[in-house]
């Protein structure tokens, strides 16, 4: 770690860089202030490359232009709070993840908690990335210096377990150190409120104000022993729980709650037992999914090659269960063991993906929307068969980019459904909090979003891969008893409600020029949108930046989201544009449906082909429009 001041020539040379003076001033502070000492050596090398100095290593240099672009992006402003908290590449700068950003976030949280009069106690959990435990200790030390009690679960554990523990321990807030399925170079911090949900509303604004204030005044940051913390020393004031040695305090209550969200009575063993292979994709999912499935009588087969590897993610290009490529290693195990199901959770175990062995022995991937459809249908079937009062006093929550079939299934069972939430499970949780504030608490029958996030029950306020794994295994077992499989169940539902197909397009645009390009797409869509996509006419447009009052504060939250309802030839499609809150990209969602009541095999097959082609054409038109707007801005950067 470099602690001495950099050479004077490096500081002076900053004036020659083609950067705004406020940005150069911030870089000077990061080069000289002790608060940023842990990243100073890295920053010196980047500045040297940007000015063409001798500090650049010719073998590893990105070049002057790339180094300048790196500085511009790293120092453009504070790392924002998006749908997953704060996350991004590790490195020097306020727009990077580092110890200083962690301390600023801790300071901002402390200020926000005091202003909101929250209980001065925070639970902290971290994932398997190489820097996660260090950042967890930095946050814990910073919070204790702010006179806030900290309970640290000192062993990698799932994000939803943190949500559960915040409520169980009576904390005023919770923190998870994780970047979910982002690349190994990234990390992040997720911040939870006293209800166990990611912060929104007033607490969110106070938090960001506190973070910005801390970033502008590094002298306000609490004093901590950075050297000791980065060496792995847990501050004495922190309550440390080793989950492996103290499962009764960390794991057991959470696992018992997850098990209670199942809806099939009895064990899942016997003739209808499904053979399940499971991979945590180098994350923490084995700590939750494996014990839960075993408790229900299953014998899950663990893909041991994808156990934690210190954040390297060696066997996958992306540890994302939304991606078929992430299943490659697990498929080898599943095939060898003739597993009925191959399940995968992302590194912080809040998302679930699945592949299913079909009649021909090959494995088929089921996307996030269809997994949600299967789980919800299973829950509704089982609760209806049991005559559960939960259906009359509960609701189903989903987003405006999730399959419309979710809402159709709920309404067919006369269950209340909200299907126009913004992306992010903090909005599902916000609706639960709104219902409690109104004195009209509802049981969460099921909640989902298209990006493989699922939840059931009221005591966890974030998506949970273990709950999803349990429900999907129950569903697969029910199908097996009936002589079908998960794909067969989908065909049954399509025959009743119409074939549904959803697909998402992602257009990446890195750096500050990329952010400008993404903003330009949204501006053009608002000022001069196309009148049709994929041959379907635009019938209605919804701009979520404009007020849409429903009387529910969370449901009425504004968002940079544009929704187009398309129709023609007896079919419909919803097209949604939104910038990602966690990655440098704009997303386009096409959600189409065909005609209901088609069950003759040949006609059903033709209907699917036509709807699939419609989705592809709508998405192609959307991506073409966005690319034409973005290209000049990116090329000129």
């Amino acid at each position: 770690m470099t602690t001495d001041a950099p050479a004077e020539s490096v500081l002076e040379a900053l004036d020659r860089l083609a950067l705004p003076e406020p940005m150069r001033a911030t870089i000077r502070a990061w080069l000289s202030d002790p608060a940023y000492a842990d990243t100073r050596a890295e920053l010196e090398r980047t500045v040297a490359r940007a000015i063409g100095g001798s500090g650049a290593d010719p073998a590893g240099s990105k070049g002057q232009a790339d180094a300048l672009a790196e500085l511009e992006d790293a120092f453009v402003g504070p790392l924002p709070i998006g749908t997953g908290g704060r996350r991004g590449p590790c490195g020097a700068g306020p727009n990077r993840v580092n110890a200083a950003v962690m301390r600023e976030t801790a300071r901002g949280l402390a200020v926000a908690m005091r202003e909101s009069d929250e209980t001065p106690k925070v639970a902290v959990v971290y994932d398997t990335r190489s820097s996660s435990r260090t950042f967890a200790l930095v946050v814990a030390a910073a919070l204790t210096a702010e006179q806030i009690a900290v309970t640290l679960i000192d062993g990698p554990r799932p994000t939803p377990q943190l949500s559960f523990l915040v409520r169980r321990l009576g904390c005023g807030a919770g923190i998870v150190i994780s970047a979910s399925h982002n690349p190994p170079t990234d990390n992040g911090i997720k911040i939870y409120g006293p209800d166990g949900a990611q912060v929104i509303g007033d607490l969110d604004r106070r938090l960001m104000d506190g973070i910005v204030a801390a970033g502008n005044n590094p002298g306000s940051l609490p004093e901590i022993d950075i050297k000791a913390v980065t060496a792995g020393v847990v501050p004495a004031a922190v309550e440390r729980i080793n989950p492996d040695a103290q499962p009764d305090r960390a794991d057991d209550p959470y696992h018992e709650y997850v098990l209670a969200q199942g809806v099939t009575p009895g064990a899942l063993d016997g003739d209808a037992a499904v053979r399940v292979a499971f991979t945590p994709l180098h994350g923490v999912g084995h700590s939750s999914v494996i014990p839960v499935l075993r408790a229900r009588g299953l014998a899950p087969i663990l893909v041991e090659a994808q156990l934690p590897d210190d954040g390297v993610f060696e066997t996958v290009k992306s540890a994302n269960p939304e991606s078929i490529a992430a299943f490659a290693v697990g498929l080898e195990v599943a095939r060898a063991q003739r597993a009925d199901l191959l399940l995968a959770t992302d590194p912080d175990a809040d998302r679930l993906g699945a592949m299913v062995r079909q009649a021909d022995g090959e494995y088929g991937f089921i996307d996030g929307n269809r997994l949600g459809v299967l789980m919800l249908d299973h829950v509704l079937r089982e609760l209806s068969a049991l005559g559960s009062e939960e259906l009359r006093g509960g609701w189903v929550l989903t987003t405006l980019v999730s399959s419309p079939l979710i809402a159709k299934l709920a309404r067919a069972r006369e269950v209340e459904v909200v299907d126009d939430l913004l992306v992010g499970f903090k909005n599902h949780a916000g609706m639960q909090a709104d219902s409690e504030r109104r004195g009209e608490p509802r049981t969460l029958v099921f909640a989902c979003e298209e990006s493989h996030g699922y939840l059931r029950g009221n005591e966890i306020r974030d998506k949970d891969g273990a709950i999803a794994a349990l429900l999907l295994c129950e569903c697969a077992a029910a199908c097996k008893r009936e002589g079908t499989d998960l794909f067969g169940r989908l065909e049954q539902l399509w025959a009743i409600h119409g074939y549904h197909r959803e697909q998402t397009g992602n257009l990446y645009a890195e750096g500050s020029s990329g952010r400008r390009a993404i903003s330009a797409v949204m501006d053009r869509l608002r000022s001069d949108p196309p009148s049709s996509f994929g041959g379907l006419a635009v019938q209605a447009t919804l701009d979520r930046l404009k007020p849409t009052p429903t009387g529910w504060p969370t449901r009425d939250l504004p968002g940079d989201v544009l929704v187009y309802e398309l129709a023609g030839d007896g079919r419909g499609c919803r097209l949604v544009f939104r910038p990602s809150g966690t990655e440098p990209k704009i997303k386009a969602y096409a959600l189409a449906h065909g005609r209901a009541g088609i069950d003759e095999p040949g006609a059903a097959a033709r209907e699917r082909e036509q709807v699939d082609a419609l989705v592809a054409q709508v998405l192609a038109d959307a991506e073409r429009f966005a690319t034409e707007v973005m290209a000049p801005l990116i090329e000129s950067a």
Side-chain angles (χ1 to χ4, degrees):
M1 182 183 300
T2 300
T3 56
D4 296 328
E8 187 69 21
S9 60
V10 176
L11 286 171
E12 291 174 344
L14 281 174
D15 293 331
R16 302 201 307 271
L17 294 180
L19 297 172
E21 173 51 33
M23 187 176 289
R24 289 199 298 268
T26 304
I27 295 173
R28 286 191 194 94
W30 279 69
L31 285 168
S32 57
D33 195 300
Y36 309 117
D38 63 305
T39 58
R40 186 177 300 160
E42 173 195 345
L43 181 56
E44 289 176 14
R45 290 191 293 269
T46 305
V47 171
R49 288 196 298 270
I51 62 177
S54 59
D57 175 8
S61 172
K62 295 192 301 180
Q64 283 182 260
D66 286 347
L68 187 64
E70 165 65 18
L71 289 172
E72 184 178 14
D73 189 58
F75 287 85
V76 69
L79 193 68
I81 295 179
T83 53
R86 305 179 83 189
R87 71 170 85 163
C90 294
N95 194 35
R96 291 291 181 267
V97 177
N98 45 60
V101 164
M102 291 291 164
R103 292 173 66 196
E104 291 167 7
T105 306
R107 170 68 174 170
L109 178 58
V111 170
M113 290 178 70
R114 284 192 285 266
E115 290 179 351
S116 302
D117 198 27
E118 303 292 355
T119 302
K121 181 178 180 180
V122 174
V124 179
V125 165
Y126 59 86
D127 72 5
T128 58
R129 290 171 184 265
S130 59
S131 57
S132 289
R133 185 173 188 268
T134 297
F135 287 150
L137 296 183
V138 170
V139 166
L143 288 172
T144 55
E146 294 274 0
Q147 308 304 310
I148 291 178
V150 174
T151 297
L152 171 69
I153 308 302
D154 200 5
R157 284 301 183 269
T159 288
Q161 187 166 348
L162 180 278
S163 176
F164 177 80
L165 288 172
V166 165
R167 297 172 63 87
R168 180 179 176 84
L169 298 176
C171 297
I175 285 175
V176 174
I177 305 299
S178 174
S180 187
H181 58 269
N182 277 37
T185 53
D186 290 9
N187 213 327
I189 179 170
K190 295 182 181 181
I191 303 160
Y192 290 74
D195 61 348
Q198 291 183 49
V199 294
I200 58 175
D202 289 340
L203 183 57
D204 190 4
R205 287 187 288 274
R206 291 190 182 112
L207 173 62
M208 198 60 193
D209 289 345
I211 290 169
V212 171
N216 291 335
N217 183 18
S220 70
L221 297 178
E223 290 293 330
I224 65 173
D225 189 343
I226 283 286
K227 185 176 181 180
V229 168
T230 53
V233 177
V234 180
V238 173
E239 179 188 22
R240 175 180 176 267
I241 298 176
N242 182 331
D244 296 321
Q246 302 166 285
D248 59 317
R249 298 193 63 198
D251 290 348
D252 293 351
Y254 166 64
H255 294 163
E256 290 169 7
Y257 177 77
V258 171
L259 285 163
Q261 304 319 306
V263 293
T264 299
L268 296 178
D269 54 5
D271 294 339
V274 290
R275 191 164 176 79
V276 183
F278 170 73
T279 171
L281 296 179
H282 301 296
V284 301
H286 60 295
S287 74
S288 58
V289 173
I290 294 294
V292 164
L293 296 186
R294 284 176 177 165
R296 287 300 306 276
L298 296 174
I301 303 155
L302 181 62
V303 180
E304 296 187 2
Q306 292 186 316
L307 285 169
D309 62 353
D310 199 29
V312 177
F313 301 166
E314 183 176 7
T315 68
V316 290
K317 183 177 181 181
S318 172
N320 186 352
E322 298 177 66
S323 169
I324 297 176
F327 286 82
V329 173
L331 269 175
E332 295 178 9
V333 175
R335 288 191 177 109
Q337 298 291 329
R338 293 185 58 80
D340 299 301
L341 276 179
L342 171 59
L343 304 180
T345 50
D346 62 344
D348 66 334
D350 60 355
R351 300 175 193 264
L352 179 81
M355 297 191 77
V356 180
R357 186 162 64 90
Q358 302 169 98
D360 61 2
E362 290 302 310
Y363 287 79
F365 178 77
I366 302 181
D367 67 35
N369 278 299
R370 290 175 177 176
L371 287 177
V373 165
L374 287 164
M375 288 181 222
L376 173 60
D377 177 67
H378 168 68
V379 169
L380 295 174
R381 284 171 184 255
E382 293 291 329
L383 293 182
S384 295
L386 294 170
S388 174
E389 290 292 323
E390 183 179 330
L391 296 183
R392 283 181 281 279
W395 59 0
V396 172
L397 302 176
T398 192
T399 74
L400 51 75
V401 299
S402 298
S403 174
L405 187 49
I406 295 292
K408 290 179 182 178
L409 291 174
R411 290 179 180 127
R413 298 278 184 173
E414 298 184 339
V415 177
E416 182 179 0
V417 60
V418 176
D419 63 345
D420 58 358
L421 297 177
L422 295 175
V423 171
F425 253 77
K426 63 183 180 182
N427 295 300
H428 299 68
M431 288 297 293
Q432 291 175 269
D434 287 350
S435 73
E436 292 164 355
R437 282 191 289 266
R438 289 164 62 123
E440 304 170 3
R442 291 162 169 78
T443 300
L444 184 63
V445 175
F446 189 70
C448 64
E449 61 181 7
E450 56 81 30
S451 55
H452 292 246
Y454 315 98
L455 182 64
R456 176 171 151 70
N458 285 18
E459 293 305 313
I460 293 174
R461 298 294 170 96
D462 206 348
K463 53 193 176 288
D464 191 319
I467 290 176
L470 173 60
L471 293 176
L472 194 64
C473 287
E474 286 187 348
C475 182
C479 290
K480 194 170 184 177
R481 284 194 299 270
E482 297 172 19
T484 186
D485 60 17
L486 296 178
F487 286 108
R489 178 74 82 220
L490 285 171
E491 290 178 0
Q492 294 171 4
L493 295 173
W494 293 332
I496 298 169
H497 302 284
Y499 177 69
H500 286 65
R501 174 67 188 276
E502 300 82 21
Q503 191 171 346
T504 304
N506 297 291
L507 288 174
Y508 287 85
E510 303 280 350
S512 56
S513 64
R515 284 191 292 272
R516 289 192 292 269
I518 290 170
S519 294
V521 172
M522 300 303 289
D523 291 343
R524 180 73 64 82
L525 285 167
R526 289 186 169 95
S527 63
D528 187 22
S531 59
S532 66
F533 293 90
L536 298 183
V538 176
Q539 301 290 322
T541 303
L542 173 65
D543 185 348
R544 286 299 296 263
L545 282 181
K546 297 179 180 178
T548 54
T550 65
W552 292 83
T554 300
R555 196 174 182 183
D556 295 344
L557 285 171
D560 191 9
V561 178
L562 282 163
V563 183
Y564 298 95
E565 297 293 348
L566 316 175
D569 194 27
R571 299 183 179 89
C573 183
R574 177 185 300 164
L575 175 63
V576 183
F577 290 90
R578 63 173 282 268
S580 171
T582 58
E583 297 178 80
K585 64 184 179 182
I586 187 169
K587 305 185 78 168
Y589 306 79
L591 307 94
H593 62 85
R595 293 163 292 184
I598 300 177
D599 55 5
E600 191 276 320
R606 288 190 296 273
E607 181 74 2
R608 291 176 205 170
E609 289 176 2
Q610 291 171 359
V611 173
D612 287 349
L614 173 63
V615 168
Q617 188 57 55
V618 168
L619 203 56
D621 282 1
E623 292 180 342
R624 188 179 303 113
F625 175 88
T627 300
E628 289 175 356
V629 175
M630 296 169 69
L633 295 170
I634 294 175
E635 290 170 359
S636 63

